[in-house]
């Protein structure tokens, strides 16, 4: 039987270096049967010095690289290997070693725009083949895992990120491949991943599933040092907010890859110049701790100044010297001057706790000057820093400095919070279909305005659209993205598109914006709103039905009048700009008095269950349901705040109303010109029943023109409907033709062409609503016109 083109060789090694597991793929690769190697030292398979391998792995939780191994027949093989250090619940530690053997060529690259979208997405993206082996990985995934695509290609997710979350994600991958429908997997793949992963089947032109794309909807970077002080403002507060995340990302990338422990200290203001008399002079320097990170199994836990606190560096200390010279400096902590500083300075307590022997200080230099200093330490278990380590550290800190500068530029300025608040529906528009209230709870960390927004959009036919969204990032850039997308949603809503079609148009807009911004700034990581999530729902008070579609956003929760809480089963679509299958809309009937809950941001739990659980607590608790919608909103927000979110929590609650039957009148009309007079009589009788006899003349003119156009240019069936929601009066005429009527100005001797112009003069608003089949032309009169 022919061997498959791709397979994985795996082995497990205990802490003593003894092989405890040997897969069939390992036998294929190296020729040894399992009984011949299990129980023997793994070093016997190496074609190099075993002591060097032990030094390389010492103190690391993961390693990848090329290893020379000896085949059973004596050949030397250079293999790419990924090794994970694992600890069982019982406390036993071992190594999982994996290597992918693939004869499959690398997938061809596609259109440049598609490549930019994939590679520059702010969310981790990976493409897996039908055998669940990785084919592609974008830059964000490489950054989060600190692994290049080449090291992961050909491996399964359970070998790239071992754990229960990966196993669940693989099960969802299989379901997506078999069903051809998007799936969701819940549970963190790692500390730098969001809690929900979307698995989207990728289909060819014939509709056959060829691969599956894994995307994590919301990256959730952790904060090892805890949130910054909430009461800080100005440049210092900006450092403690946005820039601190960039500094902590540097720690995640360099520990344990480069160092066993590291710290980043930032200046409150950048200093211009580099070295000589232009740079910072030797002397006492005040910085602010932005990151402190150590290997989990290091010799002691890094202790000392907490993240966000001031760091005072005396003259002659490594940080002060590094800032003065603006170049990397290497130290041995056994040197008298360094040893005295490490022993006496409270800010260097992390050096003593971790037992650092070799210290490397590297300045963070941006375009605007020196921003701070990064300190890297190695314990005696590893070799001292060398020239290659200095070069690598400079490369990492240069990228971190650019991120710090960007975060400083995007730090919340006066006026940004009103800008973000302006993106919420305040004041709420006048409409009769829903009772609505909103709340926004700012993040306790004070990290500035996020990209979450709501909108409430009145539509034709007394319907109302509810919008919830969340743009990637923070600050002015996120607010600007939300402003553009909110305007686009309102424009598309005016055209009365179905929910799924509206999201498809919005997705195309995001791709065009991303292309424009990428051409201007190819290095931009979040261009044009790529990765923004959006939920669009439309409620009709006449039919009491709600249609909804979502692009990577949690679905809404619903509470029916009997107090039952559920989450609407809206198919999961990918975030905007990610590509994938078409969006799907679902329609459900909501009894009058039902409660819809939309969360624009907050606890990113599976299926929006955090909101559902909070509602369940309000309606199922001993106090019973709250008396008013505002009280319900306050109690739900209190429940959500108890989850300790790292972001704003924005909540919208809407209680459905139904238009009474005596406020709706509908007639089927024959498709012939003589029916126009009958339609006028229907209108006169109905308006008399509603006590609107004074509006009869104007309304009859509007109905005459709309019915005449439907019969002359449309197709049967033709329906006339009058609605009386609140004080307004709405006339609607439906026909089965998909053509859109256009208003034009008739010339002096033209016999026609004045109908819609007359309608526009008599009505407050008018327009066309396209159905799945046919269209409805409507006209609305306000109380002033009545």
């Amino acid at each position: 039987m022919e061997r498959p083109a791709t397979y994985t060789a795996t082995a497990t090694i205990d802490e003593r270096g003894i092989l405890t597991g040997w897969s069939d793929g390992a036998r294929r690769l190296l020729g040894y049967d399992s009984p011949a190697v299990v129980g023997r030292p793994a070093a016997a398979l190496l074609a190099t010095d075993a002591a060097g391998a032990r030094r390389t792995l010492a103190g690391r939780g993961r390693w990848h690289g090329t290893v020379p191994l000896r085949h059973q027949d004596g050949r030397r093989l250079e293999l790419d290997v990924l090794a994970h250090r694992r600890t069982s619940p019982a406390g036993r530690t071992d190594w999982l070693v994996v290597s992918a053997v693939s004869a499959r060529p690398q997938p061809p690259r596609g259109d440049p725009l598609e490549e930019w979208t994939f590679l520059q997405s702010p969310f981790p993206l990976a493409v897996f083949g039908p055998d669940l082996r990785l084919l592609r990985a974008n830059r964000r995934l490489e950054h989060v895992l600190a692994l290049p695509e080449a090291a992961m290609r050909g491996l399964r997710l359970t070998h790239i990120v071992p754990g229960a979350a990966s196993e669940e994600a693989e099960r969802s991958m299989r379901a997506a491949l078999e069903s051809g429908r998007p799936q969701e997997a819940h549970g963190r793949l790692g500390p730098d991943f969001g809690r929900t992963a979307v698995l989207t089947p990728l289909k060819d032109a014939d509709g056959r599933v060829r691969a599956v794309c894994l995307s994590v909807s919301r990256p959730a970077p952790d904060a090892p040092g805890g949130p910054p002080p909430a009461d800080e403002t100005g440049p210092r507060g900006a450092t403690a907010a946005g820039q601190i995340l960039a500094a902590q990302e540097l720690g995640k990338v360099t520990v344990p890859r480069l160092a066993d422990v590291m710290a980043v200290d930032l200046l409150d203001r950048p200093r211009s110049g580099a070295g000589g008399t232009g740079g910072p002079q030797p002397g006492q320097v005040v910085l602010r701790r932005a990151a402190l990170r150590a290997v989990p199994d290091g010799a002691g836990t890094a202790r000392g100044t907490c993240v966000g606190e001031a760091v005072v560096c005396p003259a002659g200390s490594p940080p002060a010297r590094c800032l003065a010279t603006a170049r990397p400096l290497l130290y041995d902590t056994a040197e008298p001057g360094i040893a005295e500083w490490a022993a006496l300075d409270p800010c260097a307590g992390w050096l003593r706790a971790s037992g650092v022997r070799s210290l490397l200080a590297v300045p963070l230099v941006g375009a605007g000057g020196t921003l701070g200093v990064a300190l890297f330490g190695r314990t005696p278990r590893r070799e001292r820093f060398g020239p290659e380590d200095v070069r690598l550290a400079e490369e990492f800190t240069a990228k971190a400095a650019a991120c710090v500068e960007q975060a400083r530029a995007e730090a919340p300025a006066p006026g940004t919070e009103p800008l973000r608040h302006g993106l919420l529906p305040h004041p709420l528009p006048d409409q009769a279909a829903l009772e609505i209230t909103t709340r926004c709870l700012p993040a306790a960390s004070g990290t500035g305005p996020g990209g979450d927004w709501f909108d409430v959009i009145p539509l034709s036919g007394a319907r109302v659209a509810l919008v919830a969204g969340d743009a990637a990032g923070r600050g002015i850039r996120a607010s600007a993205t939300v402003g553009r997308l909110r305007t686009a949603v309102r424009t598309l809503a005016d055209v009365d598109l179905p929910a799924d079609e509206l999201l498809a148009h919005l997705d195309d807009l995001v791709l065009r914006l991303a292309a424009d911004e990428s051409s201007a700034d190819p290095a931009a990581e979040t261009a044009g709103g790529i990765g923004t999530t959006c939920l669009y729902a439309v409620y009709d008070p006449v039919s009491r039905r709600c249609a909804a579609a979502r692009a990577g956003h949690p679905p809404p929760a619903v509470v029916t009048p009997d107090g039952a809480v559920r989450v609407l089963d809206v198919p999961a679509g990918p975030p905007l700009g990610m590509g994938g299958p078409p969006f799907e809309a679902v329609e459900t009937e909501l009894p009058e008095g039902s409660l819809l809950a939309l969360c624009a941001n907050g606890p990113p739990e599976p299926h929006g269950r955090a909101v559902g659980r909070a509602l369940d607590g309000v309606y199922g608790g001993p106090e019973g349901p709250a008396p008013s919608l505002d009280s319900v909103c306050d109690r739900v927000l209190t429940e959500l705040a108890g989850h300790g979110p790292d972001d704003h929590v924005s909540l919208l609650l809407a209680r459905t109303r139904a238009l009474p039957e005596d406020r709706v009148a509908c007639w089927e009309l024959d498709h012939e010109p003589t029916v126009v007079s009958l339609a006028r009589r229907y209108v006169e009788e109905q308006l008399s029943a509603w006590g609107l006899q004074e509006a009869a003349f104007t309304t009859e003119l509007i109905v005459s023109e709309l019915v005449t156009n439907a019969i002359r240019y449309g197709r049967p069936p033709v329906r006339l409907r009058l609605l009386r929601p609140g004080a307004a009066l709405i006339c609607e005429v439906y026909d089965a033709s998909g053509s859109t009527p256009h208003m034009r100005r008739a010339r002096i001797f033209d016999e026609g062409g004045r109908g819609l112009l007359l309608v526009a003069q008599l009505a407050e608003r008018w327009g066309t609503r396209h159905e799945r089949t046919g269209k409805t032309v409507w006209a609305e009169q306000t109380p002033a016109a009545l």
Side-chain angles (χ1 to χ4, degrees):
M1 181 177 179
E2 185 180 358
R3 295 176 179 174
T6 301
Y7 63 92
T8 304
T10 64
T12 54
I13 306 170
D14 65 17
E15 280 289 82
R16 300 171 301 160
I18 304 300
L19 279 162
T20 57
W22 191 256
S23 71
D24 183 67
R27 179 192 61 79
R28 297 176 185 176
L29 182 60
L30 294 178
Y32 300 96
D33 291 325
S34 177
V37 292
V38 171
R40 297 181 57 192
L45 301 179
L46 294 174
T48 186
D49 179 28
R54 284 192 293 269
R55 287 194 300 269
T56 299
L57 294 177
R60 299 192 177 213
R62 189 189 65 198
W63 180 86
H64 73 91
T66 302
V67 176
L69 296 175
R70 191 73 65 187
H71 193 274
Q72 185 186 32
D73 60 11
R75 286 181 291 129
R76 177 187 171 106
L77 300 178
E78 299 282 341
L79 300 179
D80 292 327
V81 166
L82 177 62
H84 300 276
R85 191 171 189 264
R86 308 179 302 180
T87 302
S88 70
R92 290 188 296 271
T93 302
D94 69 351
W95 285 88
L96 171 66
V97 183
V98 298
S99 180
V101 181
S102 176
R104 178 187 299 158
Q106 186 175 352
R109 279 10 185 190
D111 179 83
L113 175 59
E114 297 172 352
E115 281 297 298
W116 296 337
T117 302
F118 179 83
L119 293 176
Q120 299 177 27
S121 168
F123 299 102
L125 295 178
V127 177
F128 292 83
D131 55 359
L132 305 185
R133 299 181 186 278
L134 186 133
L135 301 175
R136 295 289 309 277
N138 74 339
R139 293 170 184 166
R140 183 61 185 170
L141 184 69
E142 290 179 318
H143 175 74
V144 169
L145 293 179
L147 286 173
E149 180 186 273
M152 299 182 281
R153 193 180 303 125
L155 293 176
R156 291 170 53 167
L157 185 63
T158 50
H159 291 146
I160 299 170
V161 191
S166 298
E167 294 172 359
E168 181 184 354
E170 280 205 348
R171 288 192 292 269
S172 298
M173 279 189 211
R174 291 193 184 93
L177 288 167
E178 294 170 1
S179 67
R181 292 174 58 86
Q183 305 290 325
E184 289 185 352
H186 310 298
R188 286 184 180 273
L189 295 172
D192 303 327
F193 287 85
R195 295 180 177 87
T196 301
V198 177
L199 291 311
T200 305
L202 305 180
K203 303 177 182 179
D204 60 15
D206 297 326
R208 292 175 295 183
V209 178
R210 295 296 191 181
V212 62
C213 178
L214 178 145
S215 62
V216 181
S217 58
R218 280 183 54 83
D222 61 8
D231 57 348
E232 293 187 347
T233 58
R236 181 172 297 178
T239 298
Q243 301 171 59
I244 196 171
L245 297 179
Q248 290 173 352
E249 285 293 324
L250 177 61
K252 296 172 189 176
V253 173
T254 56
V255 176
R257 179 176 180 180
L258 176 67
D260 297 315
V261 61
M262 65 84 65
V264 177
D265 299 328
L266 297 177
L267 293 160
D268 282 344
R269 295 178 182 273
R271 299 187 180 184
S272 61
T277 59
Q281 297 303 307
Q284 190 179 77
V285 180
V286 180
L287 303 103
R288 191 160 296 273
R289 176 97 352 126
L292 183 61
R293 190 177 182 89
V295 292
D297 58 338
T301 304
R303 298 192 299 271
T305 305
C306 296
V307 170
E309 294 184 3
V311 176
V312 181
C313 300
S317 64
R321 291 181 182 176
C322 181
L323 290 171
T325 60
R327 61 184 179 86
L329 299 175
L330 272 173
Y331 298 94
D332 190 314
T333 56
E335 298 175 19
I338 304 303
E340 182 179 357
W341 168 70
L344 299 179
D345 192 345
C347 300
W350 60 277
L351 289 172
R352 300 189 300 273
S354 301
V356 168
R357 178 182 66 176
S358 182
L359 179 67
L360 171 60
V362 183
L364 274 74
V365 182
T370 304
L371 303 171
V373 60
L375 302 173
F376 303 97
R378 282 185 176 178
T379 63
R381 295 181 299 176
R382 298 175 66 174
E383 295 179 352
R384 290 180 172 85
F385 290 110
E388 181 63 22
D389 299 315
V390 175
R391 184 200 63 77
L392 190 61
E394 286 185 299
E395 179 181 335
F396 285 137
T397 53
K399 294 179 180 178
C403 295
V404 169
E405 273 196 323
Q406 181 180 357
R408 188 184 294 270
E410 293 182 353
T416 56
E417 189 59 28
L419 173 61
R420 195 204 69 78
H421 184 69
L423 297 175
L424 298 177
H426 179 76
L428 299 177
D430 185 24
Q431 45 79 38
L434 298 167
E435 177 191 358
I436 297 175
T437 187
T438 62
R439 293 290 188 275
C440 178
L441 180 67
S445 59
T447 52
D452 48 304
W453 95 94
F454 286 124
D455 212 348
V456 179
I457 308 172
L459 302 176
S460 64
R463 298 168 306 129
V464 176
L466 300 177
V467 188
D470 190 11
R474 293 187 175 281
I476 293 294
R477 181 166 188 154
S479 297
T481 297
V482 169
R484 288 190 294 185
L485 294 181
R486 185 189 183 203
T487 301
V489 171
R490 280 184 161 265
T491 302
L492 294 170
D494 283 343
V495 187
D496 250 331
L497 294 175
D500 52 348
E501 293 184 22
L502 183 141
L503 290 182
H505 283 280
L506 198 62
D507 187 66
D508 291 339
L509 172 66
V510 167
L511 286 174
R512 289 196 296 272
L513 292 175
D516 293 341
E517 292 192 14
S518 294
S519 62
D521 182 12
E525 220 179 39
T526 56
I530 285 182
T532 298
T533 65
C534 185
L535 168 70
Y536 186 81
V538 177
Y539 173 71
D540 186 347
V542 179
S543 64
R544 304 172 191 176
R545 300 189 69 81
C546 179
R550 62 186 178 118
H553 203 82
V558 175
V559 184
T560 51
D562 60 357
V565 180
R566 63 189 174 96
V567 175
L568 286 186
D569 186 19
V570 183
L576 298 175
M578 296 292 194
F583 299 101
E584 296 182 55
V586 297
E587 191 171 290
T588 184
E589 185 171 354
L590 298 177
E592 183 178 8
S594 298
L595 192 70
L596 271 169
L598 284 71
C599 194
N601 210 343
E605 294 197 15
H607 297 298
R609 287 175 187 153
V611 178
R613 187 166 57 252
L615 287 167
D616 202 25
V618 171
Y619 280 82
E623 300 177 9
S628 68
L629 195 60
D630 285 333
S631 300
V632 174
C633 198
D634 290 336
R635 288 171 60 180
V636 171
L637 198 66
T638 301
E639 290 282 337
L640 292 177
H643 290 265
D646 297 327
D647 208 337
H648 299 273
V649 178
S650 301
L651 182 68
L652 181 148
L653 295 186
R655 180 173 284 144
T656 63
R657 297 168 176 155
L659 199 60
E661 293 182 0
D662 60 357
R663 292 273 181 148
V664 181
C666 187
W667 301 273
E668 292 280 345
L669 302 178
D670 294 330
H671 193 262
E672 57 184 43
T674 57
V675 81
V676 176
S677 60
L678 182 61
R680 286 197 297 267
R681 190 171 81 241
Y682 288 155
V683 169
E684 181 182 11
E685 293 173 355
Q686 186 61 54
L687 294 185
S688 177
W690 283 344
L692 297 176
Q693 293 89 340
E694 294 181 3
F697 178 74
T698 301
T699 307
E700 287 179 34
L701 284 177
I702 293 174
V703 169
S704 294
E705 295 301 333
L706 297 183
V707 172
T708 299
N709 283 345
I711 294 173
R712 181 176 297 174
Y713 306 110
R715 296 199 304 266
V718 177
R719 287 192 293 269
L720 168 64
R721 188 170 75 163
L722 296 183
L723 303 177
R724 183 85 166 104
L729 176 64
I730 301 173
C731 308
E732 295 183 342
V733 176
Y734 168 86
D735 74 86
S737 170
S739 60
T740 302
H742 296 283
M743 184 171 57
R744 64 183 180 89
R745 293 193 177 274
R747 289 170 295 185
I748 295 176
F749 299 105
D750 286 350
E751 296 182 359
R754 299 178 177 84
L756 290 180
L757 180 62
L758 179 64
V759 171
Q761 295 296 320
L762 297 175
E764 178 72 17
R765 299 190 305 146
W766 77 280
T768 304
R769 179 173 72 249
H770 287 272
E771 316 284 351
R772 296 294 181 184
T773 302
K775 68 177 182 299
T776 297
V777 184
W778 56 272
E780 180 176 337
Q781 301 175 76
T782 59
L786 300 177

